[in-house]
Amino acid sequence: MHDSPLAVVAELVLLLSVILVAAKVGGEVSERYLKIPPVLGELGAGILISPFLLGGIHWFGGGALFEVAHDGSGLPVEPQLFFVAQMAAIVLLFEAGLETNREQFMRYVKPATAVAAGGVILPFVMGFAATVMLGFADMDSIQGMIPAMFVGAIMTATSVGITARVLADIRRLDSPEGVTVLAGAVVDDVLGIIILAIVVGIAEEGTVTAGSIGVIFLKAVGFWLGLMIIGSIVSKYISNVILWFRSAGGALVLALALAFIASAVAEIYFGLAMIIGAYTMGLALSSTELKHHVEESMRSVNNFLVPIFFVVIGMQVDFTAFGAGDTSLGSAILFAVVLTIFAVISKIVGSGLPAMFVGFNRIGATRVALGMLPRGEVALIVAGIGLTSGVIGQDIFGVAIVMTVVTTVLAPVFLIPAFKGGSGLKNGADSEVEADE
């Protein structure tokens, strides 16, 4: 019976309904009773129903709801559901791009680059140092240093998805700090992908050349700038063509198709995360008539899809990986505590200090630094690459997950109160958005 395609689909639909209900219950409890962002409830719901907790129990003698894939991918859900979650991430970032004021973004891209550079260099150095200091890597050979490089690469990540959702919830996506964080996270991701590519190159080849680093850098930066500049120039024409379609939902469907195309091209041909392509496409279309036509319906699509993404992130958390392999539980816990403290300090200092030199006061710099704090799905993806390629073991993977969860939970908790003060700019002139409210 299970061989029937319809039976497989029915099973997937059932699992999807479990994820949706868990997301909404978690979000409701967070918002109504705990007074914290719903995204944290969705992450928590994902952890609870994961194959490592409730989802892995064989209820009433039957099979478990969710099981980790045995194909080496380590996915906690069926690949089809993982696809839906990734699609949700694309939609979330496309909407975040649409909601961003493009002129504002271009104005803040220079400070954002300084914020991103500091938010990549210091976390990488501190992650590398912690791994070597606590004996999880050795300095005797390049191969011995690879685990430390990988931990450094995981530390550089910034999850723009979490921050974008929180900033959208409190209507600060368009504030100077919000735009700087989003632009910074994009630049951060470009730099992080370059570091990851270099580390993977060293792991596979045992060496890496300046030429190959240059090619990776040019591809990543070239795609991002190219899509943004060309997209901005032709955005009015794209908007007119799409709005020519009068059929119900035509504009929304075609706009989403553009987001999917940009995401796929970013990932397949340029080695950039799909969410970067989606955000940049949204940004290119942000000052067009099309934006106003699809805004409302985009929110409805988001309300359905995006919680799935955050639940699936939560489902990848395996606390049983803690102290696995050759490591004692005590040293794994110590490593997790040290790495988490370093993760917080490195982003607060690494992104906060440069922010103070590029026009933000202490309040603004704190907001920017907190916005860059969550590692989220980006760190989980990098850690997953390390685990599946055998570069890091379950011990380091478990530690990386704890660091990721803590930074992802802390950011929204502190970010909302941080925006309750006055202007974050040194000259006190805040964004039009804040003035309007």
Side-chain angles (χ1 to χ4, degrees):
M1 179 187 162
H2 276 288
D3 293 335
S4 150
L6 284 177
V8 174
V9 170
E11 204 173 296
L12 287 168
V13 168
L14 179 65
L15 295 179
L16 187 59
S17 66
V18 170
I19 289 172
L20 285 167
V21 171
K24 285 299 152 199
V25 170
E28 190 70 24
V29 168
S30 288
E31 206 167 11
R32 195 193 290 191
Y33 301 109
L34 304 177
K35 307 291 183 218
I36 57 174
V39 60
L40 292 180
E42 290 155 14
L43 279 170
I47 293 170
L48 268 179
I49 66 164
S50 76
F52 313 109
L53 286 175
L54 299 181
I57 296 172
H58 289 251
W59 299 96
F60 312 115
L65 259 181
F66 298 103
E67 290 189 35
V68 179
H70 298 296
D71 57 6
S73 66
L75 288 177
V77 291
E78 296 292 327
Q80 297 91 325
L81 291 178
F82 186 72
F83 158 71
V84 175
Q86 292 308 305
M87 196 166 76
I90 291 168
V91 172
L92 170 66
L93 268 295
F94 179 58
E95 194 197 21
L98 278 178
E99 295 293 327
T100 306
N101 181 314
R102 196 171 70 214
E103 283 67 38
Q104 187 102 306
F105 181 94
M106 297 313 283
R107 200 186 324 153
Y108 287 100
V109 79
K110 215 191 280 176
T113 304
V115 165
V120 164
I121 295 163
L122 194 59
F124 182 85
V125 169
M126 289 182 83
F128 186 95
T131 315
V132 173
M133 239 167 37
L134 295 168
F136 283 79
D138 63 73
M139 300 288 282
D140 298 340
S141 65
I142 286 186
Q143 290 301 322
M145 286 192 281
I146 288 171
M149 290 182 194
F150 236 98
V151 172
I154 293 166
M155 290 274 278
T156 65
T158 294
S159 169
V160 71
I162 309 274
T163 303
R165 169 77 179 271
V166 174
L167 291 174
D169 286 348
I170 59 172
R171 296 179 63 214
R172 285 290 184 272
L173 207 54
D174 235 2
S175 63
E177 295 92 338
V179 176
T180 302
V181 167
L182 285 176
V186 173
V187 177
D188 188 303
D189 201 72
V190 172
L191 295 173
I193 295 289
I194 292 163
I195 289 172
L196 180 62
I198 293 166
V199 174
V200 170
I202 293 170
E204 286 172 0
E205 317 275 325
T207 178
V208 69
T209 65
S212 62
I213 295 172
V215 169
I216 294 163
F217 183 82
L218 286 174
K219 270 172 71 176
V221 175
F223 169 76
W224 178 50
L225 288 177
L227 180 57
M228 190 135 86
I229 294 162
I230 296 165
S232 302
I233 293 167
V234 300
S235 61
K236 294 276 188 291
Y237 304 106
I238 293 172
S239 173
N240 293 340
V241 168
I242 290 178
L243 292 175
W244 176 84
F245 288 83
R246 290 270 183 262
S247 56
L252 174 70
V253 170
L254 291 171
L256 283 171
L258 281 178
F260 292 150
I261 291 166
S263 305
V265 170
E267 177 80 42
I268 297 166
Y269 299 106
F270 294 90
L272 274 176
M274 287 190 289
I275 52 177
I276 298 302
Y279 179 76
T280 312
M281 180 54 81
L283 192 63
L285 298 170
S286 64
S287 57
T288 62
E289 195 57 38
L290 175 64
K291 174 198 167 170
H292 304 295
H293 273 75
V294 300
E295 242 174 340
E296 256 334 288
S297 38
M298 272 295 296
R299 271 188 209 118
S300 304
V301 174
N302 246 345
N303 288 339
F304 169 67
L305 277 178
V306 173
I308 299 169
F309 170 59
F310 290 109
V311 171
V312 171
I313 287 182
M315 289 175 75
Q316 290 175 63
V317 176
D318 176 12
F319 289 117
T320 61
F322 227 54
D326 309 324
T327 322
S328 72
L329 185 60
S331 59
I333 290 172
L334 176 66
F335 187 20
V337 170
V338 170
L339 197 68
T340 304
I341 292 168
F342 277 19
V344 174
I345 293 169
S346 63
K347 282 284 185 187
I348 298 287
V349 176
S351 295
L353 270 183
M356 291 182 76
F357 289 103
V358 289
F360 289 99
N361 59 25
R362 221 171 58 218
I363 300 171
T366 305
R367 291 170 183 165
V368 169
L370 287 170
M372 298 291 283
L373 182 59
R375 295 335 196 258
E377 76 290 352
V378 184
L380 288 173
I381 290 164
V382 176
I385 291 168
L387 185 68
T388 50
S389 60
V391 173
I392 58 171
Q394 279 285 358
D395 49 1
I396 292 181
F397 185 68
V399 166
I401 282 170
V402 171
M403 179 277 293
T404 301
V405 170
V406 174
T407 56
T408 303
V409 167
L410 283 180
V413 171
F414 290 110
L415 198 55
I416 293 173
F419 270 91
K420 292 209 166 108
S423 167
L425 296 176
K426 273 186 183 159
N427 60 14
D430 222 327
S431 72
E432 291 165 31
V433 177
E434 294 204 7
D436 290 346
E437 283 179 4

